[in-house]
């Protein structure tokens, strides 16, 4: 096992020291949520390759010099195989219905095309963003392909879709490395305050099934992480959660601070959700983002990238709308997009001497707007190009025969509940994956 290899312990120490010397915005270590940093390091070493390491070092060096054209590639990838979700969480863009992008499931051929292009640079890939991964019925096949290409995989699930023993076994055998389960309460009345439309009994049954199947198969993966966002309505249940975690057989329990929708600055809304009895789960600024610009650059433009289900390529998950995409993975290679005009403009925004010539979504981002370069540059008189959308209807850009708009009008397609609406959602999923 890699943990017993002295080389990786030396590498871990070198990264720690290097971060303190050359850090940007708190460094890559602090960019990972509390409770996950050690896990993510060892996950990256599980699929270690020299090309991945040199790409990591090369990208980090260029980030320090804020190069607009980057030699190398992002090493943290977010590939959203579906943006459909059956819950309506109040602090999620999907739950709020504030995303302007058609809904559907990523075409399998597009997914393999993406993986083939990033497999030599990707340290880990998260197969989720604004949707529920298990609403992609073939998610285990997507995971298995990435695993065979030696790409570390992570999914985050509300685990509200009932799992069959067959599906649970398929997910375990797929090679999935980490499964984050969002579970913010140990009683239904507390849990459903935030996970609107969720069923606690389903989540617990699914966790027990996964634990049982892991034992039967003798598998240590996936590492199952229970993520508990500490909020006002559930902060009294932390000790109960610890006790239940032992009973369920999860591998780790991570208590997470509240994240508010990007760009939101509503003090009253913060007061509604922030805990009172546990100040250790409060930030000095409740709306702070871990990649907040500190006078240098936004590191996401160098380290990470997002591919949405429809092939839309974005620098981060907070540029949610189709109009804010930097490119289309159906039409261009990822390498071509990585240094196209949109990316060069975005990286250049953090240089006071650079004058942008086109509108990009980063111009409306609070990370950029709070930067020294933005304050020095002042308002930029640029407007976005119009984008014609067929929300929840028509043929998606990648050719997937999604029919999310048929029988499930408007944004309600992402908020299916029990009974008839859930049956319609599953029917649409079947058609999309045929």
């Amino acid at each position: 096992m890699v943990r017993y290899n002295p080389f990786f312990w030396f590498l871990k120490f070198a990264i720690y020291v290097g971060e303190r010397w050359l850090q940007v915005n708190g460094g890559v270590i602090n960019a990972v949520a509390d409770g996950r940093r050690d896990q993510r390091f060892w996950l990256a070493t599980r699929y270690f390759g020299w090309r991945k390491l040199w790409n990591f070092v090369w990208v980090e060096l260029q980030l320090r010099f804020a190069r607009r054209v980057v030699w190398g590639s992002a090493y943290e990838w977010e590939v959203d195989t579906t943006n459909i979700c059956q819950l309506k969480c109040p602090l999620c863009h999907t739950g709020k219905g504030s995303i302007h992008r058609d809904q559907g499931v990523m075409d399998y051929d597009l997914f393999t095309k993406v993986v083939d292009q990033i497999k030599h640079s990707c340290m880990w890939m998260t197969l989720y963003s604004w949707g529920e991964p298990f609403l992609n019925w073939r998610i285990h096949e997507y995971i298995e392909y990435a695993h065979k290409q030696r790409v570390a995989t992570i999914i985050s699930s509300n685990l509200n879709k009932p799992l069959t023993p067959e599906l649970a076994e398929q997910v375990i055998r797929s090679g999935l490395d980490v499964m984050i389960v969002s579970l913010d309460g140990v009683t239904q009345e507390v849990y459903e305050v935030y996970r609107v439309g969720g069923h606690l009994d389903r989540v617990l049954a699914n966790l027990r099934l996964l634990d049982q199947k892991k034992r039967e198969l003798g598998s240590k993966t996936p590492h199952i992480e229970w993520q508990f966002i500490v909020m006002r309505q559930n902060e009294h249940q932390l000790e109960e959660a610890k006790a239940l975690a032992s009973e369920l057989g999860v591998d780790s329990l991570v208590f997470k601070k509240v994240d508010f929708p990007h760009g939101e600055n509503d003090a009253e809304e913060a007061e509604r959700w922030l805990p009172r009895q546990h100040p250790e789960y409060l930030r000095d600024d409740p709306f702070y983002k871990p990649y907040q610009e500190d006078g240098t650059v936004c590191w996401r433009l160098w380290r990470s990238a997002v591919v949405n289900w429809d092939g839309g390529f974005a620098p981060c998950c907070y540029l949610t709308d189709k109009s804010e995409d930097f490119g289309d993975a159906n039409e261009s290679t990822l390498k071509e997009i990585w240094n196209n005009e949109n990316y060069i403009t975005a990286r250049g925004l953090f240089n006071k001497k650079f004058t942008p010539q086109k509108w990009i979504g980063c111009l409306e981002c609070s990370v950029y707007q709070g930067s020294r370069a933005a304050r020095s540059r002042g308002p930029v008189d640029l407007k976005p190009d119009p984008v014609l959308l067929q929300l929840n209807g028509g043929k998606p850009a990648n050719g997937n025969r999604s029919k999310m708009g048929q029988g499930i009008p408007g944004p309600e397609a992402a908020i299916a509940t029990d009974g008839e609406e859930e049956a319609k959602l599953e029917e649409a999923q079947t058609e999309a994956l045929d």
Side-chain angles (χ1 to χ4, degrees), residues 186-425:
V186 299
T187 58
Q188 178 64 29
E189 60 268 26
V190 169
Y191 170 73
E192 66 185 0
V193 171
Y194 184 71
R195 302 292 167 181
V196 178
H199 300 273
L200 178 63
D201 56 344
R202 288 185 186 175
V203 182
L204 298 181
N206 287 335
L207 282 170
R208 291 187 173 100
L209 175 61
L210 288 166
D211 180 55
Q212 174 190 336
K213 285 298 178 181
K214 282 178 64 177
R215 292 175 185 273
E216 289 177 1
L217 297 172
S219 177
K220 293 184 178 181
T221 58
H223 175 100
I224 298 180
E225 173 195 307
W226 174 355
Q227 175 184 276
F228 188 113
I229 302 176
V230 181
M231 294 176 276
R232 179 157 302 179
Q233 77 277 5
N234 64 20
E235 61 179 321
H236 64 286
Q237 294 188 334
L238 302 190
E239 292 303 318
E240 293 177 74
K242 293 176 184 178
L244 182 58
S246 299
E247 176 191 332
L248 294 172
V250 299
D251 297 294
S252 63
L253 171 60
V254 173
F255 292 115
K256 189 172 180 289
K257 298 173 183 176
V258 179
D259 283 323
F260 292 93
H262 195 61
E264 184 170 300
N265 192 23
D266 187 338
E268 290 186 6
E269 184 71 356
E271 185 68 15
R272 174 187 174 191
W273 296 105
L274 292 175
R276 292 181 177 179
Q277 301 172 10
H278 291 274
E280 66 271 28
Y281 297 110
L282 295 173
R283 296 187 177 97
D284 293 336
D285 176 1
F287 303 105
Y288 173 82
K289 299 299 179 186
Y291 51 95
Q292 191 72 35
E293 202 274 343
D294 64 352
T296 50
V297 299
C298 172
W299 57 255
R300 286 183 178 264
L301 294 166
W302 283 261
R303 292 175 178 161
S304 64
V306 175
V307 182
N308 290 287
W309 79 269
D310 58 357
F313 191 113
C316 77
C317 62
Y318 290 108
L319 294 187
T320 59
D321 293 359
K322 185 70 177 174
S323 62
E324 298 170 326
D325 287 346
F326 276 26
D328 189 334
N330 294 289
E331 301 174 356
S332 308
T333 66
L334 304 186
K335 184 177 180 180
E336 290 170 342
I337 300 171
W338 184 239
N339 283 309
N340 67 9
E341 185 181 2
N342 290 320
Y343 258 108
I344 291 174
T345 299
R347 295 178 185 127
L349 290 178
F350 296 92
N351 184 331
K352 298 177 184 179
K353 299 179 181 180
F354 177 79
T355 301
Q357 300 298 316
K358 66 174 298 184
W359 181 91
I360 55 172
C362 300
L363 286 165
E364 296 182 351
C365 175
S366 61
V367 175
Y368 162 69
Q369 292 175 351
S371 69
R372 296 176 185 174
R375 293 193 296 270
S376 174
R377 182 177 293 116
V380 177
D381 187 21
L382 295 170
K383 303 296 181 183
D385 295 329
V387 174
L388 180 62
L389 297 176
Q390 290 183 309
L391 291 180
N392 300 320
K395 185 178 181 181
N398 68 351
N400 221 355
R401 297 191 304 279
S402 176
K403 299 184 180 179
M404 292 310 303
Q406 299 184 18
I408 311 177
E412 285 78 13
I415 313 167
T417 56
D418 288 339
E420 183 179 355
E421 290 301 310
E422 189 164 304
K424 289 179 181 178
L425 177 60

Side-chain angles (χ1 to χ4, degrees), residues 120-132:
H120 295 304
S121 61
C122 181
M123 294 290 193
W124 59 71
M125 178 172 62
T126 55
L127 280 81
Y128 64 92
S129 185
W130 297 112
E132 166 51 49

Side-chain angles (χ1 to χ4, degrees), residues 47 108 111-112 115 119 125 127 140-153 174:
Y47 302 92
Y108 182 76
F111 178 80
T112 59
V115 171
K119 61 185 179 182
M125 178 172 62
L127 280 81
H140 59 283
E141 297 180 31
Y142 291 63
I143 296 168
E144 183 176 14
Y145 185 83
H147 177 72
K148 288 180 178 179
Q149 304 306 312
R150 295 188 55 77
V151 174
T153 53
S174 70

